[in-house]
Amino acid sequence: MQFKINPKNPSSAALRVVPIFESETGKLQTENLGFSPPSSFLFSGKKDSSYSFESGDQLVLLIGLGKEPDYKTIETSYRRILSKSSSLVEKEVFLDFPDTFTAEQTEAALVGFRLGSYSIGFYKKEKPKDFHKLKVEVGSSLDKAKSLAERAEKIADAKIEAFKLVDLPPNKITPEYLADWAKDLGKKSKLDIKVLDAKKAKSEGLEAFLAVGRGSAKEPKFIILEYRHPKAKLHVGLVGKGVTFDTGGLNVKTQGMHHMKSDMGGAAAVLATTQLISDLGLHVNLTAIVPAVENAIDKDAYLPSEVIGSHAGLSIEVIDTDAEGRLILADGLSYLIKNYKTDQVIDLATLTGSAIGTFGYECAALFSNDDTLSHGLQQAGEMIGEKSWPLPLWDEYGKEMDSEIADIKNYHGKPFAGAITAAKFLQAFTHEHPAWAHLDIAGVAFGDTEFAKTKTGTAYGVSLLLTYIESQL
Ligand code: BES
Ligand code: MN
Ligand code: ZN
């Protein structure tokens, strides 16, 4: 799909898409559009509504956006076009934007439109419709329309990559696949990629990470991506949970195990964000770490009650092998902080069912020891529709993780405060870094949407991290 700017000339494309805001009076403001508006009984520009009709040789599709649409509303409305109304689309589409459409609104629309080309039918005999050759004329009078369209393409491509990494099955998305994905990105862009295999991870002391991987036939990979810009004044560190499948280990899961192909949602967000930051050439330094591992069962699998080591040097009593995410993140965080000294550290992880119990599927649980960082993330997410809300890191919760036999245990074994105690566990491995944030994205990385009949990847984190990082530049 190619975006081509057409600054306000009429287009002969078979389909013309026009966004309509809901007007106070109920009367559509379509004076400049060259067609008579439908009666307000049929269409009044309400959010989530649309209306199509023929005008001359053209099919016109009106997209209702409501009164004051936010970024996500516009993105979702435009995603519906290819995702749901692809029968209206042939070789060419004209996305016609009124002069009042802002740069941000245009970006949201273009990102959404491109996301509509994504479909998860990867393994079907009948392949989903291919939009690669689709010509998309962008009717915008904005000065920077061209750079805006290029930016939107990059954002959408990163999000699609994040969708895919979560949606593809765990026999495809293995730790090795994620490592190769990073290496490929390194070849395409100016990124430095390092992958530690099990042997190298051992020599680096990543013992908690390796313990989780012991029960799997698939070799764990500890992936490091370094993006550097000569004009950077800020160094951001990211860590993403990359459990390519979570059986629970010997504390085997009994419910909904098939959803656990999404247990690398944090990794997907971190990898896709790294791709995007580098595609956009942002003036920032970024170091991203993805501990990638499968939590499986086998004669070598780690046992509940084992005491294992960690990169930070703390011994860990394993109460529950299903609390594996915090073990690999502990090593990811410690390794990043000891070796890279980034100004800020942000981890994203599908960490606890408790985060879902607290916030459902709308909002991630946010933890941070730095108020500015916490507010920045919360606000960035609010702006682009990836919500998060803070929970406390009070010491009393940390006491719950005290172990008799080791320095710390990985589960307090009690039916309360699961997301908070998990965050406290992580904090013990951050070497008191002054600006650390943890996003528990268990409820938001993978979910039901109008775009598929099963749960699918949401790319939660990509727009959030982009917006947050850009807000600091
Ligand atoms: N990957 C899961 C958390 C999860 C649950 C993500 C549901 C998405 C949807 C994590 O590894 C896990 O198993 N957490 C346990 C921890 C418990 C054993 C301490 C949980 O939350 O139940
Ligand atoms: Mn688990
Ligand atoms: Zn998990």
Side-chain angles (χ1 to χ4, degrees):
M1 173 192 312
Q2 240 186 335
F3 287 142
K4 225 183 96 203
I5 309 300
N6 172 359
K8 273 288 149 235
N9 295 317
S11 159
S12 58
L15 176 68
R16 175 180 179 198
V17 182
V18 185
I20 306 285
F21 295 99
E22 188 179 358
S23 74
E24 302 294 337
T25 56
K27 194 174 174 302
L28 293 183
Q29 291 163 347
T30 45
E31 294 89 33
N32 306 323
L33 293 175
F35 53 77
S36 45
S39 118
S40 61
F41 293 110
L42 291 172
F43 179 76
S44 61
K46 274 199 173 30
K47 180 172 180 270
D48 299 328
S49 70
S50 68
Y51 184 77
S52 53
F53 59 93
E54 279 175 313
S55 167
D57 292 339
Q58 221 167 28
L59 187 64
V60 178
L61 172 62
L62 304 181
I63 306 277
L65 294 176
K67 281 182 185 132
E68 280 169 17
D70 54 22
Y71 193 98
K72 193 84 187 171
T73 300
I74 299 177
E75 187 191 285
T76 306
S77 302
Y78 272 77
R79 186 172 170 188
R80 289 185 189 122
I81 302 166
L82 292 187
S83 184
K84 294 183 168 175
S85 314
S86 70
S87 58
L88 302 181
V89 181
E90 283 173 27
K91 289 193 188 95
E92 250 178 316
V93 184
F94 179 42
L95 301 180
D96 191 0
F97 297 110
D99 292 341
T100 52
F101 228 59
T102 66
E104 202 198 26
Q105 290 171 329
T106 309
E107 177 189 301
L110 295 178
V111 169
F113 183 81
R114 200 170 170 90
L115 292 183
S117 68
Y118 179 75
S119 130
I120 83 159
F122 295 103
Y123 298 97
K124 285 179 173 294
K125 204 179 290 155
E126 197 179 319
K127 294 285 169 246
K129 205 163 163 176
D130 179 7
F131 296 105
H132 270 96
K133 297 224 171 82
L134 184 66
K135 290 208 178 83
V136 185
E137 280 182 64
V138 178
S140 166
S141 57
L142 292 169
D143 289 340
K144 45 181 180 175
K146 188 156 186 293
S147 61
L148 204 70
E150 283 166 10
R151 176 180 159 88
E153 283 182 32
K154 289 169 185 167
I155 296 174
D157 288 353
K159 287 187 155 203
I160 287 175
E161 216 39 62
F163 289 162
K164 255 194 220 167
L165 289 173
V166 169
D167 290 335
L168 287 172
N171 49 340
K172 171 93 179 163
I173 306 288
T174 60
E176 190 175 357
Y177 183 98
L178 293 181
D180 290 344
W181 188 98
K183 285 181 195 161
D184 280 352
L185 179 65
K187 275 180 215 146
K188 278 183 262 165
S189 344
K190 288 200 193 80
L191 281 165
D192 214 13
I193 311 294
K194 298 190 183 101
V195 175
L196 310 184
D197 58 16
K199 200 168 147 224
K200 284 206 199 106
K202 191 154 173 43
S203 67
E204 290 291 335
L206 301 168
E207 291 182 28
F209 164 71
L210 288 170
V212 175
R214 256 163 46 199
S216 170
K218 296 164 187 137
E219 190 185 11
K221 303 280 182 186
F222 194 86
I223 306 164
I224 305 155
L225 305 92
E226 298 173 20
Y227 167 77
R228 298 290 179 265
H229 195 286
K231 293 201 181 127
K233 293 201 181 73
L234 173 75
H235 189 174
V236 177
L238 299 177
V239 182
K241 173 177 172 181
V243 174
T244 59
F245 194 76
D246 182 10
T247 66
L250 285 163
N251 292 103
V252 66
K253 285 190 185 294
T254 49
Q255 273 182 336
M257 198 199 286
H258 63 292
H259 289 147
M260 285 302 127
K261 70 171 181 178
S262 68
D263 213 15
M264 30 62 67
V270 164
L271 291 171
T273 302
T274 307
Q275 168 183 320
L276 182 54
I277 301 276
S278 134
D279 274 359
L280 293 171
L282 296 193
H283 297 185
V284 68
N285 287 341
L286 181 75
T287 300
I289 293 203
V290 170
V293 65
E294 186 183 73
N295 188 20
I297 301 178
D298 165 86
K299 67 182 188 338
D300 296 324
Y302 73 140
L303 308 170
S305 83
E306 260 187 38
V307 176
I308 60 175
S310 67
H311 181 266
L314 296 178
S315 58
I316 306 170
E317 181 186 10
V318 177
I319 300 295
D320 195 310
T321 60
D322 199 9
E324 84 298 338
R326 60 196 77 182
L327 298 174
I328 69 166
L329 283 174
D331 277 358
L333 287 165
S334 174
Y335 186 91
L336 174 75
I337 292 165
K338 277 277 151 183
N339 292 296
Y340 291 92
K341 317 248 178 297
T342 61
D343 301 313
Q344 302 170 1
V345 179
I346 305 168
D347 76 73
L348 291 92
T350 48
L351 204 64
T352 67
S354 163
I356 309 178
T358 308
F359 291 122
Y361 298 97
E362 273 309 310
C363 172
L366 169 63
F367 300 86
S368 182
N369 58 349
D370 179 273
D371 285 346
T372 315
L373 173 57
S374 179
H375 288 147
L377 285 169
Q378 208 187 333
Q379 264 172 7
E382 180 99 44
M383 265 161 63
I384 44 77
E386 295 179 2
K387 293 199 262 312
S388 66
W389 201 262
L391 289 177
L393 283 168
W394 293 316
D395 280 343
E396 290 77 1
Y397 290 108
K399 298 230 166 49
E400 294 286 346
M401 307 309 270
D402 287 349
S403 162
E404 289 289 332
I405 192 170
D407 295 321
I408 193 166
K409 59 186 175 190
N410 78 333
Y411 178 37
H412 65 338
K414 297 173 191 169
F416 57 74
I420 304 178
T421 48
K424 286 307 286 183
F425 179 88
L426 295 182
Q427 194 179 21
F429 298 86
T430 56
H431 303 286
E432 300 188 341
H433 190 290
W436 159 69
H438 158 59
L439 281 159
D440 190 333
I441 59 170
V444 291
F446 188 62
D448 290 307
T449 67
E450 57 182 285
F451 298 108
K453 294 188 194 79
T454 58
K455 286 183 187 286
T456 51
T458 62
Y460 182 101
V462 177
S463 288
L464 165 63
L465 290 171
L466 174 66
T467 310
Y468 172 67
I469 291 172
E470 284 188 327
S471 77
Q472 298 181 92
L473 302 181

